[in-house]
Amino acid sequence: MKYLSWAYLVALFGFILLPVVTLVIFSFQDGRLPVPPFKGVTFEWYAEILTDRAMMEALGNSLIVALLSSLVALTLGFLAASGLARVVLPGSVVMRGLLIAPMTVSYLIIALGLLQMFNKVGIRPSLLATGIGHVVINLPLCFAILYAAIGEHQKSALKAARDLGAREWQVLWFVAAPMLTPALAAAFFLAFTFSWDEFIIAFLLTRFDVTLPVEIWSMLRSGLSPATNAVGSLVFLVSVIVVVALELTLFRKGSK
Amino acid sequence: MALKHTCSILAVTAGLTSALASAAQAEDLNALIWCDHADPELLQPFEEAHDVRVNVKEYEGTAAGLTLLEQSRPGDWDVMVIDAVDVGRAVERGLLAPLPVDQLATDSYFPEAVLADHTTVDGTTYAVTEKFGYNTIAYNKAAVDPADMASLDALWSGKYDGRIAIYDYYLPVLGLVGLEAGIDTADLGADTLETIREPLMKLNAASKQVSDVVGSQTALATGEVDVLIGGGEWLTAVLNAENPDLDWTIPEEGGLLWAQSLAIVEGTEKPELALEFIKYITSPEGQARLATSSCYWGMPANKAAGDVLTDEQKAILRWDDQPDYLSRAQLYPVPDADTDAAMQDLWTDMLQN
Amino acid sequence: MSIEKQEKRQGATLVAPALLWTLGFFVIPFAAMVMMSLAHLEGREIVQGHDLGNYLRIFTDPSLRRGIFVSLEITAVVTVISVLLAWPLAWIIATRVPARWRRMALLLAVLPFWTSYVVRSYSWALVLGEKGVVMNALVGLGLLAEPVQIMATRSATIIGFVHFFVMLLTLTIYSNLIQLSPNYARAAEDLGASKWQVIRLVILPLTLPGVMTGAFLTFVLCIGDYITPQILGGNNELTLPQLIMLQLGRRGDFPMASALSVVLMVIVTLAYAACARWLKMERV
């Protein structure tokens, strides 16, 4: 059983890592096509995408949209979670259900609904529209994580602060937020990741200023090239560095 | 402590906002285009000469492009690339502005590529052609017998079953299937459409995949398929350096001529700049860059581009064979809305079976 | 009493922004989409109406109807395979891998999460092609006489999906497994259960919530995905999202795209209802 376990582990790791490894290797392909045979190493594809204006702008756009939409989703989720954890309101269950609901709906449907509504009220497809969509998908996530993180201990601490005469915003800012820092960080990190990598909402709700996944998609549609591998590898590399850094700092203490 | 946090958040937000604002400041030209117009090498000279920024948005298929325009507000778009044969459809819906064609250098155009019948409605010109080429058969001459490619019959003969890819755009491929069935593209309408259903389904059964530009390029270049119906120089030219065995031909039944045109969108707030852009694209330099743009190659509509293109580029474009090709190619089918819907339904049926 | 009232008012004030956001950008757009699905296209004009013509067409037009089945089949196969592959992986990482390497192993198991989602499907296209790495290796090792076609078939779509969802399910099942007290297993062993019996009768049932949550997420994400089948499926059959995008991108037929989306939504809701009792969505 022991050998079987290890064999299984290795086999599955192979399956999981195969496409990524291939992607990275052929980003160095010295030729027009990122398929075997491997013709030698070149960095020209990396140079090409790093000097690609549209690609770099898309990168910047993605960062801005991910950052701002996650902050908004986090703030709304935090307020809602502390509100619902504080008192039992009439219809609490319905409210919770409503806040969670977008999580069970395909992104495509959310995108299509927003596209039609924005069309009607005359909001142009833009990064703003995309950001609004990303808050819709990330709000449930942030809310759920934070709501789950507020336990009895936290509730009594908040109550104590209020009984001592703290104002509501003081309670939230000085007591609740510091207490919930790990959950806030986790929620923000997840929301950021989802927004950063989201395609269909950004595809349908942008026009000229696009996010990185949309730019990669149009690059993919306009010709086969190792440059696509290079973009993918770069994004992968940077993300892994961030994840490992977080793993070593932020989440180390919180984990078992 | 908290104050410090607030300040840093404010600083970040302010920084981002100003970055956003500055990006939006330069004058913009908004263009609804096909992917060949997104090439920086094509756009940059114009952007630098006029100190503007050309924003491009790609679209796929005339129906989708028209929907996009209809859902936008006047002024959202300045210029548009559109299939020359579809200019009438756009004009009918009031989406295009008249084009002062006398200011454009169309004297040196290939006469067959002007397509004035299509770009002019009731005596007013609304668009100017810019690039053309053919949807026919592209193939790997190392893997198939080039003699077979002289006739479309080869694709239905069974010899190449499982080695065929179909280009995923319904108009040219339905046109080609029509040619095989002996129907001219101009006669492909609601009544004749059903007669090509069976050959289309047979073609689909013989094919390995139905794919977009990249999928087709990949499949042909890597040898997953050996024949692409709907392909042409626009597909093989880019890959020429990588695989010189990739070739294309116009079979005896004929091929389809595609021609894209450029138009000013009705309601633009920058008609002068839009016209300047069209002037640039139709100039010999612009034409040469467009002909060899990164997404796909194609013949420039303006013959004068021949002075700018290198001999090698002209060889790949098969510059000298154009008179023969042009005489044998037919235009895209021009369906009305209902026929268009019927064609798309037929195409969906093919994809789904 | 008045304090309680004030508490409630403050609580409501805190919830209000999130509720309004959800209402304005989720509920209302969805309602607008349902309205749109009752309209139809006349020529190129969208005519608002109140007929079920689009829905009727979805269930009578063989191509559209087949889209539902294609989607359901692919999603079902993907969900089952992913669970079957992920459970042992999560279990091995949680119990067999030494504790100090555990997080490292988990991180490695989900590493490709951080490639761009579009690029992930694309890289499978490169791997699975006839000239791709896999075929090259199999033919080179003499395991295959000649390459077989995987790319541009349903198998390619399924492999691309399974790859992603094995990672996702490994995470949800792992987090469920490490919360289990080892005492359960020990108790069962003390009572004479074999290792397999312990897994089958004790651990497996206890991980059901994790499995079901992951399976439901897999179902929702898989059935709503456009990119993977579009890149890997070779357009030889169309899933619901592909049909929706076809209506949008090629025809500008918003009413039909909306109707198909409503159908998609109903399917997901049914799936949710079917496994709701195992799900704790609020604790994902």
Side-chain angles (χ1 to χ4, degrees):
Chain A
M1 185 127 152
K2 193 168 175 186
Y3 293 110
L4 200 66
S5 294
W6 287 109
Y8 188 82
L9 197 68
V10 170
L12 267 234
F13 273 12
F15 169 66
I16 287 171
L17 298 175
L18 175 67
V20 184
V21 172
T22 315
L23 180 82
V24 175
I25 290 176
F26 284 95
S27 66
F28 299 108
Q29 171 80 306
D30 194 3
R32 284 265 315 166
L33 300 177
V35 288
F38 190 69
K39 292 180 176 172
V41 175
T42 175
F43 289 93
E44 79 174 279
W45 305 112
Y46 285 90
E48 187 181 314
I49 54 149
L50 287 175
T51 53
D52 182 339
R53 185 182 73 178
M55 191 59 77
M56 289 302 117
E57 280 178 3
L59 187 95
N61 291 341
S62 269
L63 280 175
I64 293 173
V65 169
L67 194 66
L68 294 184
S69 75
S70 318
L71 279 178
V72 173
L74 192 68
T75 311
L76 293 179
F78 172 61
L79 292 179
S82 27
L84 281 177
R86 182 178 167 186
V87 279
V88 179
L89 294 165
S92 270
V93 180
V94 179
M95 286 189 210
R96 276 209 312 266
L98 189 64
L99 287 176
I100 299 289
M103 221 194 294
T104 62
V105 174
S106 301
Y107 289 180
L108 177 56
I109 296 177
I110 293 174
L112 195 56
L114 281 174
L115 177 65
Q116 292 176 11
M117 189 182 83
F118 287 160
N119 267 340
K120 250 188 207 130
V121 298
I123 296 179
R124 287 192 179 91
S126 61
L127 291 177
L128 178 68
T130 305
I132 289 175
H134 285 181
V135 174
V136 173
I137 59 170
N138 280 329
L139 175 54
L141 193 81
C142 293
F143 169 74
I145 292 175
L146 295 171
Y147 186 74
I150 303 180
E152 284 310 315
H153 167 67
Q154 280 84 352
K155 278 183 197 168
S156 38
L158 296 182
K159 192 165 181 323
R162 276 188 207 104
D163 291 347
L164 290 171
R167 289 161 173 243
E168 192 57 34
W169 69 269
Q170 288 173 320
V171 175
L172 291 178
W173 186 251
F174 292 109
V175 185
M179 233 165 23
L180 294 172
T181 301
L184 282 167
F188 178 79
F189 175 65
L190 268 180
F192 188 92
T193 313
F194 284 161
S195 168
W196 168 256
D197 205 20
E198 199 286 326
F199 170 75
I200 202 83
I201 294 177
F203 181 66
L204 291 176
L205 294 183
T206 51
R207 208 158 52 126
F208 307 127
D209 294 315
V210 296
T211 61
L212 195 61
V214 180
E215 182 63 30
I216 293 177
W217 173 250
S218 55
M219 181 177 183
L220 207 64
R221 289 183 52 83
S222 64
L224 183 65
S225 160
T228 312
N229 292 49
V231 178
S233 306
L234 270 186
V235 170
F236 176 61
L237 195 72
V238 172
S239 317
V240 167
I241 290 174
V242 171
V243 170
V244 171
L246 284 178
E247 169 74 23
L248 291 179
T249 56
L250 210 57
F251 293 121
R252 169 135 291 188
K253 284 169 266 168
S255 68
K256 298 176 191 177
Chain B
M1 177 71 181
L3 195 67
K4 217 165 109 193
H5 274 260
T6 320
C7 284
S8 58
I9 290 172
L10 279 178
V12 169
T13 322
L16 290 175
T17 325
S18 64
L20 273 175
S22 70
Q25 255 165 20
E27 200 186 358
D28 291 296
L29 184 78
N30 296 341
L32 191 57
I33 51 127
W34 295 358
C35 67
D36 58 340
H37 284 256
D39 190 350
E41 301 213 2
L42 173 70
L43 299 179
Q44 253 163 19
F46 177 78
E47 289 180 324
E48 277 158 20
H50 292 85
D51 193 26
V52 291
R53 167 130 205 204
V54 181
N55 295 315
V56 295
K57 166 89 181 166
E58 287 167 34
Y59 76 97
E60 187 191 352
T62 303
L66 297 185
T67 307
L68 244 165
L69 284 185
E70 276 165 357
Q71 288 179 343
S72 308
R73 281 170 295 174
D76 275 5
W77 302 98
D78 302 308
V79 293
M80 160 185 214
V81 175
I82 181 168
D83 242 315
V85 293
D86 288 326
V87 170
R89 278 164 78 185
V91 171
E92 197 181 293
R93 310 195 66 76
L95 296 171
L96 301 184
L99 188 67
V101 76
D102 49 309
Q103 295 188 40
L104 299 172
T106 50
D107 327 332
S108 48
Y109 264 44
F110 285 95
E112 298 92 335
V114 174
L115 299 176
D117 289 353
H118 293 278
T119 55
T120 305
V121 178
D122 298 332
T124 311
T125 303
Y126 289 92
V128 60
T129 50
E130 50 167 16
K131 188 171 175 179
F132 67 93
Y134 311 91
N135 290 108
T136 61
I137 313 179
Y139 58 92
N140 184 343
K141 67 182 169 204
V144 305
D145 181 357
D148 286 345
M149 297 297 127
S151 166
L152 283 171
D153 289 342
L155 302 186
W156 277 269
S157 68
K159 186 170 171 186
Y160 295 104
D161 279 11
R163 294 160 64 189
I164 302 171
I166 302 173
Y167 173 48
D168 186 13
Y169 190 31
Y170 64 108
L171 284 173
V173 176
L174 291 182
L176 283 168
V177 176
L179 290 182
E180 161 72 9
I183 304 166
D184 281 352
T185 53
D187 300 329
L188 201 60
D191 43 338
T192 46
L193 206 54
E194 275 309 302
T195 59
I196 64 166
R197 176 180 285 270
E198 203 216 313
L200 182 69
M201 294 304 163
K202 246 181 113 179
L203 179 68
N204 185 43
S207 76
K208 190 169 187 174
Q209 63 186 51
V210 185
S211 43
D212 61 7
V213 179
V214 183
S216 305
Q217 279 180 349
T218 315
L220 207 54
T222 60
E224 282 181 45
V225 299
D226 300 322
V227 187
L228 174 76
I229 181 164
E233 81 291 13
W234 57 272
L235 192 100
T236 53
V238 180
L239 297 172
N240 192 273
E242 193 65 30
N243 188 348
D245 283 333
L246 299 185
D247 204 347
W248 65 280
T249 186
I250 296 185
E252 62 197 26
E253 293 87 352
L256 263 72
L257 174 74
W258 55 263
Q260 57 194 69
S261 65
L262 204 49
I264 299 179
V265 176
E266 178 65 43
T268 172
E269 286 154 13
K270 298 158 192 153
E272 295 85 17
L273 187 62
L275 183 61
E276 282 307 315
F277 182 70
I278 296 180
K279 276 184 191 165
Y280 163 70
I281 295 287
T282 52
S283 73
E285 292 74 25
Q287 284 281 286
R289 290 191 194 106
L290 181 64
T292 55
S293 130
S294 64
C295 190
Y296 59 89
W297 286 31
M299 280 295 293
N302 192 344
K303 226 184 260 183
D307 305 334
V308 185
L309 290 165
T310 65
D311 286 341
E312 203 188 354
Q313 288 170 328
K314 286 207 278 196
I316 295 173
L317 286 167
R318 304 207 195 153
W319 190 273
D320 298 329
D321 296 327
Q322 293 303 318
D324 171 48
Y325 292 158
L326 281 168
S327 68
R328 288 164 57 201
Q330 301 189 13
L331 288 174
Y332 269 34
V334 190
D336 57 33
D338 287 339
T339 313
D340 193 49
M343 284 179 164
Q344 301 222 30
D345 284 344
L346 179 58
W347 193 253
T348 310
D349 287 347
M350 182 202 74
L351 292 176
Q352 194 60 294
N353 282 292
Chain C
M1 185 63 198
S2 75
I3 289 180
E4 196 185 318
K5 234 181 202 165
Q6 194 196 344
E7 287 251 302
K8 281 195 174 168
R9 182 146 26 89
Q10 281 190 345
T13 317
L14 292 176
V15 188
L19 274 180
L20 285 178
W21 192 283
T22 308
L23 211 62
F25 297 120
F26 176 69
V27 178
I28 292 178
F30 186 71
M33 198 172 74
V34 173
M35 282 297 291
M36 179 62 91
S37 76
L38 301 176
H40 61 274
L41 211 58
E42 230 165 64
R44 302 204 28 75
E45 207 83 54
I46 291 171
V47 182
Q48 190 60 54
H50 298 282
D51 60 285
L52 296 171
N54 289 324
Y55 294 98
L56 216 61
R57 251 196 78 197
I58 294 174
F59 291 101
T60 51
D61 183 323
S63 293
L64 295 176
R65 192 178 48 201
R66 181 143 184 262
I68 299 175
F69 291 109
V70 169
S71 276
L72 281 175
E73 281 165 22
I74 291 179
T75 306
V77 172
V78 165
T79 309
V80 170
I81 296 182
S82 304
V83 169
L84 291 181
L85 286 178
W87 202 95
L89 183 63
W91 183 78
I92 291 170
I93 294 177
T95 63
R96 300 275 130 170
V97 173
R100 50 193 294 244
W101 295 110
R102 220 167 269 164
R103 278 189 78 84
M104 190 63 197
L106 193 67
L107 202 63
L108 204 59
V110 297
L111 203 61
F113 258 142
W114 287 283
T115 48
S116 181
Y117 152 71
V118 176
V119 171
R120 210 155 37 222
S121 291
Y122 159 79
S123 53
W124 272 113
L126 298 181
V127 168
L128 293 175
E130 214 158 278
K131 292 271 174 72
V133 184
V134 171
M135 285 305 150
N136 258 332
L138 289 179
V139 175
L141 292 171
L143 294 173
L144 278 179
E146 54 185 68
V148 288
Q149 183 186 359
I150 295 182
M151 187 46 206
T153 66
R154 183 185 285 192
S155 309
T157 306
I158 288 176
I159 290 174
F161 270 136
V162 165
H163 178 244
F164 180 73
F165 293 117
V166 162
M167 296 191 282
L168 184 89
L169 280 159
T170 304
L171 271 185
T172 62
I173 298 171
Y174 174 86
S175 65
N176 200 310
L177 275 171
I178 54 162
Q179 284 167 9
L180 299 181
S181 159
N183 292 336
Y184 291 126
R186 240 173 263 145
E189 266 170 47
D190 288 348
L191 293 170
S194 75
K195 270 203 169 123
W196 284 114
Q197 280 173 324
V198 172
I199 293 180
R200 195 163 57 85
L201 299 173
V202 182
I203 302 180
L204 209 52
L206 285 173
T207 56
L208 206 57
V211 170
M212 291 308 285
T213 308
F216 174 70
L217 279 178
T218 303
F219 188 93
V220 177
L221 294 174
C222 183
I223 205 163
D225 186 39
Y226 165 72
I227 291 277
T228 307
Q230 183 67 20
I231 292 183
L232 296 172
N235 261 331
N236 284 317
E237 58 184 8
L238 300 174
T239 61
L240 266 180
Q242 285 179 294
L243 282 169
I244 293 172
M245 293 300 282
L246 206 62
Q247 307 300 326
L248 279 187
R250 289 251 173 103
R251 324 176 80 154
D253 191 342
F254 276 83
M256 185 47 104
S258 301
L260 285 164
S261 301
V262 172
V263 170
L264 179 61
M265 172 84 185
V266 169
I267 293 174
V268 172
T269 310
L270 288 178
Y272 180 74
C275 40
R277 61 185 161 130
W278 291 287
L279 297 179
K280 293 200 199 88
M281 290 307 287
E282 291 154 39
R283 314 245 161 209
V284 179

